[in-house]
Each structure stands twice: as C-alpha cells, then as structure tokens.
Amino acid sequence: MSAASTGPAAPLAILFELSHRCPLQCPYCSNPLALERAAAELDTAAWMRVLEEASELGVLQVHFSGGEPTVRKDLEDLVAQAARLGLYSNLITSGVLIDRARLDRLAQAGLDHLQLSIQDSDAANADRIGGYKGGHARKMALAAWVHEAGMALTVNAPVHRQNLEHLEDIIELALSLGAGRLEVAHVQYYGWGLKNRAALLPTRAQLERATVIVEAARARLKGTMVFDYVVPDYYARRPKACMGGWARQFINVTPSGKVMPCHAAETIPDLSFDNVKDRPLGDIWRHSQAFARFRGTAWMPEPCQSCDQREVDWGGCRCQALAILGDAAATDPACAKSPHHEALIALAEAESQAPAPPFTYRRFAAAE
Ligand code: SF4
Ligand code: FES
C-alpha cells in the first residue's frame, strides 16, 4: 500500500539536539553555521512532552546530542523519562564535562549507551582539532568509567586528512577503551564541515588506504569490536542513502524545537519547519511540508526516477545536492549518473592535494 493511503511507517529514532552550546570547537561539527542560543532552548517540560509524543509515535531510540548535551542540567531527568517510556537511550557526547558522579547519575537514570567522540589517538593533535586543551585526557578517563559502569560504549572517530595517518592507532585506542563499536566516520561536508572542506578532505589515495585498514581490522576483530564505516562519497560511484532516506527513519529536533528530517535540512531554502511547541510530533512526521517534500520517490528527477537504485539510496543526499549544485531536488552529484559527477571528483582531487588552509573553528563568533 502506498504511503499516501496509510501514512509513513513510524520512525526508528529521534535525535534531540538539546543545546548548541559546546566547550569544543570541532571544525567539522554537524550543527548549522547559525547556532541557536541558550535562551532559545526548549525547557525541561517541553522535552519531556516530546519524549512522550515520540514514544506514542512508535519511536524506539532516542539519541541525546548537541552541541554538548551534558551542558543541560536536566539531562538525567530526560534519560529517566526515556527509560520510563521504554525508549533505548544513547548519549552522544564529547565527554569532557562528565565526572564520575555525573556518569553514575546517568547510569542510575537508565542510560543504555554512551557514544564518545574522539578527535585523534594523539593527544596533542586531538586537542588541536577539538580546540580544547586537556580534552583528550578527560575522554580517556570517562571511557574507563563507562567500562566500569558496565554501560555499552561506542567510540566515534571522525576522520579526515589531518588525522587519517593515525587510523591504525585510533582503532587500537578504541579497542583498549573497551568499545563494543567503533564508528570510523569520514567527515561529511555540510555546515562547518563544508566551511572547512579544503582543510579536511582526504585525497583519493588516503581514502583507499583507510578503507583497506578498516576492512582488515574488521576481519581481525570480528566478535570483539563492530565497525561502522562512513565514507566521503565525493569519490564514490553511488551516493549513500542519507539518513536511510529522507523522512523514512529519523527525526531531528533542534534546541529550540524545530523538527527536521536531518541535521542539515535548514540549509534548504524552500522548506518550512514546524516546531514541537506548535504541533504534535506525530502530526509533523506524517504531514509537515518539510518531511513530505522529499519522502519516497515521487519528487525525483531523471535519471533517479527510472533508476533501479531509487529505493536503495533514495536519491542520496538532498543537502549535498543543495550544497554542491544549489538545487536540493537535483540528483546527488556523488552519483556517477549525475551530469555533475565528474566535476565533483575533479574538485575533490584538486582541493585535497592543495595545502590545507587553517581551520575555521566552530565558535558562535565564527558563524557570524
Ligand atoms: Fe541513486 Fe539517483 Fe543515482 Fe539512481 S540515479 S543511483 S537513484 S542517485
Ligand atoms: Fe540532509 Fe543528507 S544531510 S539529506
């Protein structure tokens, strides 16, 4: 039956960007360039209500993210509410603000899983990339406490041309921290990542070497540590199914309550986003303009419309089409069937071989 007659299936997961505040300044942050201020953030009661609405909608997982979600003093209350509602909870954190007592409180509140980001295996380079002195050492301490608390740990390692030569050490580090899962995530080029693309984009040779290293480690560590490997699709022949397809599996809520199909959707100028303060979450998921705009396949241009991959990659990434081509409804240029694919590869090869410019760090001031 069509989505039009039955409505879309329930989303798998919801991501709460609780706050855009963060002590780190990573130059590839997935937050928008226009960061939302603390004064605009939803209050505790509003987040509690959204958790209830998510549960009623059939969501299974809630990811508490940011910025840095632990800047919110009410995080334990939100985790406890998720646990009461039977939602699987995941905290996506830089880890630098969590002491032992806070971790124990989060564990007692029912937190199921912690996803710790690291910037590198080398402490000095990690602190340089994150723009936060002493951050790496704090992360190492937190990982040990997570292990002791018996909580599931994923290490998230964004990789790029300024840390890729340490990839083997990054894998060993995640293993030594007791991570059950390691996400080796090549930086994606939206928001701050796009702004810093020339400083981050690896060469094709660096990417190919990284893929060989990950595949070898994945085979060697089977049964010990699971790998998620996210590639930069600038060099690919087919795009990724971004977010598992637009408005198919995920909901993103910004600190002020705007509801979006992905974290970068606000870059698309002709979309309008509903707010949880004005409209129930289920109604937004089923009927809002922004979710309906690129859901399914009816919106697709050729060659996607008659392509046998259209329900595999769902046309790739709308935000990437917008960022590269200025048209969110165009075929993702990461696809070799796009007339713009060769130009994208040429751009990537030229940019990745030129000297890296300095980072523009993710600061509120840098966004203005
Ligand atoms: Fe995917 Fe469209 Fe490329 Fe087909 S033409 S592989 S649907 S992006
Ligand atoms: Fe928005 Fe890919 S990041 S669709």
Side-chain angles (χ1 to χ4, degrees), residues 255-275:
S256 67
K258 273 181 278 183
V259 186
M260 311 197 302
C262 70
H263 52 269
E266 266 185 305
T267 56
I268 301 176
D270 63 343
L271 297 183
S272 61
F273 300 101
D274 288 285
N275 194 296

Side-chain angles (χ1 to χ4, degrees), residues 190 240 242-243 246 262-265 268 316-320:
Y190 327 107
K240 62 188 174 294
C242 195
M243 308 304 291
W246 183 271
C262 70
H263 52 269
I268 301 176
C317 178
R318 297 304 89 223
C319 302
Q320 183 151 276

Side-chain angles (χ1 to χ4, degrees), residues 2-326:
S2 74
S5 59
T6 61
L12 170 70
I14 190 163
L15 186 124
F16 282 9
E17 286 178 4
L18 292 178
S19 173
H20 281 164
R21 289 174 282 152
C22 183
L24 269 70
Q25 309 173 23
C26 304
Y28 45 71
C29 179
S30 64
N31 287 160
L33 294 179
L35 296 163
E36 293 181 1
R37 304 284 172 165
E41 290 173 13
L42 294 181
D43 62 18
T44 308
W47 285 119
M48 293 291 225
R49 180 175 52 76
V50 182
L51 280 167
E52 274 176 23
E53 292 179 359
S55 171
E56 284 161 15
L57 178 56
V59 168
L60 300 178
Q61 303 170 0
V62 56
H63 301 278
F64 294 107
S65 181
E68 173 49 50
T70 58
V71 300
R72 294 277 305 212
K73 302 235 172 1
D74 55 3
L75 180 61
E76 287 86 330
D77 297 333
L78 302 179
V79 168
Q81 170 84 327
R84 265 194 302 277
L85 293 165
L87 294 166
Y88 185 86
S89 58
N90 176 32
L91 178 64
I92 301 172
T93 179
S94 69
V96 301
L97 300 180
I98 306 178
D99 60 14
R100 182 69 201 243
R102 184 118 202 244
L103 181 72
D104 289 345
R105 289 201 300 278
L106 288 164
Q108 278 161 16
L111 184 65
D112 291 301
H113 184 272
L114 190 140
Q115 187 171 327
L116 177 67
S117 64
I118 61 169
Q119 278 66 36
D120 198 349
S121 52
D122 176 83
N125 200 39
D127 289 355
R128 179 184 73 85
I129 292 166
Y132 187 87
K133 204 157 188 291
H136 186 76
R138 288 184 183 219
K139 290 163 187 274
M140 299 302 103
L142 174 64
W145 300 331
V146 171
H147 197 53
E148 283 168 32
M151 198 184 284
L153 174 69
T154 290
V155 168
N156 174 246
V159 292
H160 46 81
R161 70 190 275 190
Q162 303 210 30
N163 67 1
L164 259 180
E165 80 266 27
H166 299 150
L167 182 54
E168 283 148 322
D169 292 340
I170 290 171
I171 293 169
E172 288 309 311
L173 177 63
L175 194 61
S176 74
L177 295 176
R181 180 177 291 269
L182 170 62
E183 192 174 310
V184 178
H186 284 270
V187 165
Q188 303 292 304
Y189 297 104
Y190 327 107
W192 294 89
L194 184 62
K195 200 173 176 82
N196 283 290
R197 189 178 63 193
L200 295 166
L201 189 69
T203 62
R204 187 192 286 269
Q206 284 177 313
L207 170 64
E208 285 171 0
R209 180 175 170 271
T211 303
V212 168
I213 290 171
V214 169
E215 291 312 329
R218 179 181 269 154
R220 179 170 54 89
L221 298 172
K222 194 162 187 253
T224 305
M225 191 165 74
V226 175
F227 284 76
D228 285 336
Y229 186 49
V230 180
V231 297
D233 52 8
Y234 277 39
Y235 298 114
R237 289 194 54 74
R238 294 286 176 262
K240 62 188 174 294
C242 195
M243 308 304 291
W246 183 271
R248 294 189 75 248
Q249 297 183 349
F250 294 103
I251 305 181
N252 196 94
V253 187
T254 76
S256 67
K258 273 181 278 183
V259 186
M260 311 197 302
C262 70
H263 52 269
E266 266 185 305
T267 56
I268 301 176
D270 63 343
L271 297 183
S272 61
F273 300 101
D274 288 285
N275 194 296
V276 291
K277 289 188 274 196
D278 309 321
R279 199 173 173 183
L281 189 69
D283 191 29
I284 297 174
W285 171 253
R286 292 186 198 97
H287 304 300
S288 80
Q289 181 260 0
F291 281 75
R293 177 69 182 87
F294 299 115
R295 181 180 267 141
T297 56
W299 63 271
M300 288 181 178
E302 290 294 350
C304 298
Q305 192 52 247
S306 51
C307 176
D308 63 4
Q309 295 299 301
R310 68 185 182 280
E311 293 191 5
V312 175
D313 63 38
W314 301 97
C317 178
R318 297 304 89 223
C319 302
Q320 183 151 276
L322 186 277
I324 304 293
L325 305 173

